Structure formats: structure tokens, C-alpha cells
């Protein structure tokens, strides 16, 4: 049945999807997804943001029980990005947790606030469910079998961060996080109600202001590789401000360290030669942490044409 012509203003009240005439080819999409109908309860979202806030308000002695500068530690509180390699620090503290498989890591997590382990574990499993659904949809959008991406990830990995950006007396002099792409496959970012996230689009930094109960989905470097550049990992950064603290909670979904990542065979042909060589996620991840964020994207080191 052909729909009568109507203005977008009227259309949005009767559809819950974007009609086909609005859908751009993958290579021409903003690479920025904000999802609302994600199935993760609002109470769980407000709860995880509250837990994060409470954690960073604990007395210093309590917080420091989790402190480490060693990026290979699977549960740690730290500051900036990588104190061992960076020249300039970032206006950020963060608690980083490995969270899949849960039973391998739960016992390392903070026990304060008292419901931390229980609430964060519940959040992690829900977000994992959401990621698996997204991976199926993305596989299909590339013309691959539904399970394709999931099958490339070995045993799968999931990390999360609770980022805490304190108010900054001179926000024009520094960043919460400078421009970078996420090294993992896909990031599900939750932010509180304070703006700070920006993405680079057509050469300009654009603010992605918070919308309640909405996740930002960032394509990461591994998705760019698997899709042989059909999906592009998005350059983003976090700015700080002088009067409000800000919290963000990214979930980083990734291959397990021994998984071999490379462009999907089906996406390689004469017109689209493999842009990247195969590598293990472990190799990529180590290079990422050792390079620092200032140099932006680590992918160039894994180009098929570049000497390794
Ligand atoms: C990150 C990140 C953005 C933000 O942790 O990788 O990009 O808004 N965070 O905190
Ligand atoms: Ni990021």
C-alpha cells in the first residue's frame, strides 16, 4: 500500500522506524547511534549511575584500595589514561572492570557501596544482551550471517569503565579524554545529565548531549577491521567544565585476547581488497595502551600494506 505524502512532523507520530527512503548507505551514515528502545529498565540505568557517583564519593582511603597504574590489571581504579606513557594528563579518574565472564572477575570488584557487585553484575548482563542483539543486526547489515561477528570474538570479552570527570577550574586548558577511537569492537556508552561528549563529524567536533535513558553506541576499531572499512570507528573526546562533575559509564565489548581479527572474507574482492592484516586482539590491545591517546587511532599499524 503506497503511503500518501506527508510531512516528517506528522510521520514521526505514526512510525517507530526510519522509512527506507531515509536510510543512507552504510558508508554514508553518521556512525552514531543513540538507542532508546533498548530494553534496559530505567531503574537499572539510574541505579548504575547512582552507584558510580557513590563510589567516587567514598573516602579516599576506601577508594584507593582499588588503585593501580598497571593496564593489565583486570579491576583497577586509576587516573588520566596511562600515567606510564602519556606526556600530558587527562582530567579524569576511572574505575575499570573486566566483566565477562562474570564469575572470573566478580570477586575482584569493589564491595563498597555495598550493593556494588550485585547491581553492576546485573547491569553488565543486560548490556551484554543488548550488544549481542546489535551484533546480529550489524552482521546482517553487512550481508554476513547473523552469528558472523559473534563467532569471530573467540570467548568474547566485556570491560566497563566508570569515568569520573571532576569540575575543572580551567576547562579550556585540558581534556577529560582527548580525541580517540575505542580499540574494542563496540561501545555502549551511558552518560549522566552533564554534557561533555563530542564526536568528530566532517572535520568538526559536535557535542552529543545527554538524553535520559539513552545509550550512545560507538563503533570501535575491531568493527572497522571486521567490516573491511564499511563501518568506521568514530573519533570522540570528552571535554570538562568548571562547575559540574560528570560521570559516564562505557561498556566496551571486545574479542577475547587470543581471537584472530581480520576483514571478513565475504567483504574482500577485487574492488575491496583487504585493508588490514590478521592479528590477535591481544597484539592490538597492547599497542593501544602503549601508544597513548594523543596519536588518535591505532589502526594504521595493522594495515595490510604497512610493514608490521
Ligand atoms: C571512553 C570515552 C567518553 C565520555 O571512556 O572511551 O570515550 O563521554 N568516554 O566519557
Ligand atoms: Ni572512548
Amino acid at each position: 500500500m503506497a503511503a500518501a505524502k506527508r510531512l516528517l512532523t506528522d510521520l514521526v507520530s505514526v512510525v517507530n522506524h526510519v522509512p527506507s527512503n531515509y536510510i543512507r548507505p552504510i558508508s554514508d551514515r553518521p556512525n552514531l547511534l543513540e538507542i532508546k528502545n533498548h530494553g534496559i529498565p530505567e531503574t537499572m540505568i539510574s541505579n548504575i549511575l547512582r552507584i558510580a557517583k557513590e563510589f567516587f564519593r567514598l573516602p579516599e582511603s576506601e577508594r584507593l584500595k582499588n588503585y593501580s597504574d598497571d593496564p593489565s590489571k583486570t579491576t583497577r581504579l586509576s587516573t588520566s589514561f596511562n600515567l606510564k606513557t602519556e606526556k600530558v594528563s587527562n582530567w579524569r579518574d576511572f574505575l575499570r572492570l573486566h566483566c565477562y565472564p562474570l564469575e572470573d572477575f566478580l570477586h575482584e570488584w569493589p564491595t563498597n557501596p555495598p550493593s556494588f557487585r550485585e547491581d553492576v553484575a546485573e547491569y553488565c548482563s543486560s548490556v551484554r544482551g543488548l550488544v549481542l542483539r546489535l551484533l546480529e543486526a550489524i552482521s546482517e547489515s553487512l550481508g554476513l550471517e547473523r552469528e558472523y561477528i559473534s563467532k569471530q570474538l573467540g570467548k568474547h570479552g566485556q570491560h566497563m569503565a566508570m569515568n569520573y570527570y571532576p569540575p575543572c577550574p580551567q576547562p579550556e586548558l585540558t581534556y577529560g579524554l582527548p580525541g580517540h577511537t575505542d580499540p574494542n569492537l563496540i561501545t555502549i556508552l551511558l552518560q549522566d545529565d552533564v554534557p561533555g561528549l563530542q564526536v568528530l563529524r566532517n572535520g568538526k567536533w559536535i557535542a552529543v548531549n545527554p538524553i535520559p535513558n539513552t545509550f550512545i553506541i560507538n563503533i570501535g576499531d575491531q568493527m572497522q577491521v571486521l567490516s573491511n572499512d564499511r563501518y568506521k570507528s568514530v573519533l570522540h573526546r570528552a571535554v570538562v567544565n568548571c562547575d559540574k562533575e560528570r560521570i559516564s559509564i562505557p561498556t566496551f565489548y571486545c574479542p577475547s585476547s587470543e581471537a584472530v581479527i581480520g576483514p571478513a572474507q565475504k567483504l574482500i574482492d577485487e574492488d575491496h581488497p583487504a585493508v588490514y592484516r590478521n592479528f590477535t586482539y591481544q597484539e592490538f590491545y597492547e599497542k593501544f595502551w602503549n601508544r597513548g591517546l594523543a596519536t588518535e587511532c591505532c589502526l594504521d599499524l595493522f594495515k595490510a600494506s604497512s610493514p608490521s
Side-chain angles (χ1 to χ4, degrees):
M1 192 173 64
K5 272 256 177 272
R6 49 159 100 217
L7 290 171
L8 191 55
T9 321
D10 309 311
L11 185 71
V12 290
S13 62
V14 294
V15 297
N16 60 4
H17 62 275
V18 174
S20 57
N21 56 314
Y22 288 87
I23 300 178
R24 296 193 168 273
I26 290 177
S27 58
D28 188 29
R29 289 181 202 169
N31 280 326
L32 170 75
L33 258 163
E34 288 174 328
I35 48 172
K36 283 179 197 301
N37 299 324
H38 42 65
I40 297 179
E42 289 183 16
T43 49
M44 198 182 281
I45 290 175
S46 52
N47 205 32
I48 193 86
L49 286 165
R50 181 181 54 78
I51 296 265
K53 195 165 267 191
E54 280 177 22
F55 177 84
F56 285 100
R57 284 187 182 155
L58 290 172
E60 192 177 15
S61 59
E62 185 61 29
R63 264 177 291 137
L64 286 179
K65 287 179 186 167
N66 306 282
Y67 189 88
S68 170
D69 287 341
D70 175 3
S72 70
K73 280 206 81 175
T74 49
T75 298
R76 65 186 185 113
L77 173 70
S78 191
T79 189
S80 191
F81 170 70
N82 186 350
L83 295 177
K84 292 195 178 124
T85 56
E86 67 202 4
K87 293 197 187 75
V88 181
S89 299
N90 305 304
W91 200 266
R92 171 184 83 138
D93 287 343
F94 63 97
L95 176 66
R96 218 181 142 98
L97 311 168
H98 284 221
C99 30
Y100 184 81
L102 256 178
E103 59 275 17
D104 289 359
F105 305 110
L106 199 60
H107 65 278
E108 305 174 350
W109 289 4
T111 48
N112 204 351
S115 68
F116 188 98
R117 288 186 183 175
E118 191 184 334
D119 289 348
V120 177
E122 202 185 2
Y123 177 79
C124 288
S125 324
S126 292
V127 174
R128 181 165 188 271
L130 173 62
V131 168
L132 297 179
R133 281 181 277 143
L134 284 169
L135 295 186
E136 291 183 355
I138 294 172
S139 295
E140 288 190 328
S141 77
L142 289 165
L144 303 168
E145 68 168 292
R146 260 170 104 77
E147 297 296 322
Y148 180 85
I149 295 175
S150 174
K151 281 186 184 160
Q152 304 309 304
L153 309 179
K155 299 197 284 286
H156 290 213
Q158 182 178 345
H159 307 177
M160 82 190 272
M162 292 180 170
N163 291 321
Y164 179 76
Y165 304 99
C168 177
Q170 292 179 289
E172 68 283 6
L173 299 184
T174 193
Y175 288 120
L177 275 173
H180 66 281
T181 60
D182 290 347
N184 49 291
L185 180 73
I186 189 167
T187 303
I188 313 295
L189 179 79
L190 176 65
Q191 39 177 353
D192 70 5
D193 55 357
V194 180
L197 175 66
Q198 299 182 341
V199 298
L200 192 68
R201 174 115 177 94
N202 299 330
K204 282 197 187 136
W205 287 100
I206 307 206
V208 183
N209 289 334
I211 303 171
N213 298 307
T214 302
F215 293 100
I216 308 291
I217 312 297
N218 275 344
I219 296 296
D221 291 343
Q222 305 312 306
M223 190 71 83
Q224 180 163 337
V225 172
L226 281 168
S227 71
N228 203 25
D229 272 358
R230 308 293 207 280
Y231 279 101
K232 292 287 172 55
S233 63
V234 60
L235 201 57
H236 58 284
R237 67 185 185 186
V239 297
V240 288
N241 72 83
C242 41
D243 42 49
K244 282 189 175 152
E245 61 182 14
R246 172 169 181 264
I247 284 178
S248 73
I249 306 182
T251 293
F252 305 108
Y253 209 80
C254 51
S256 43
S257 42
E258 77 295 342
V260 176
I261 301 296
Q265 274 307 325
K266 233 183 148 175
L267 303 177
I268 300 173
D269 57 36
E270 258 172 51
D271 296 334
H272 307 89
V275 183
Y276 306 97
R277 63 175 173 88
N278 289 355
F279 52 83
T280 62
Y281 187 55
Q282 172 156 3
E283 183 188 352
F284 192 96
Y285 202 62
E286 279 167 9
K287 284 218 169 77
F288 172 80
W289 278 99
N290 291 331
R291 271 162 56 94
L293 288 181
T295 33
E296 293 169 357
C297 188
C298 203
L299 279 170
D300 286 348
L301 301 172
F302 295 86
K303 287 253 159 90
S305 50
S306 93
S308 57

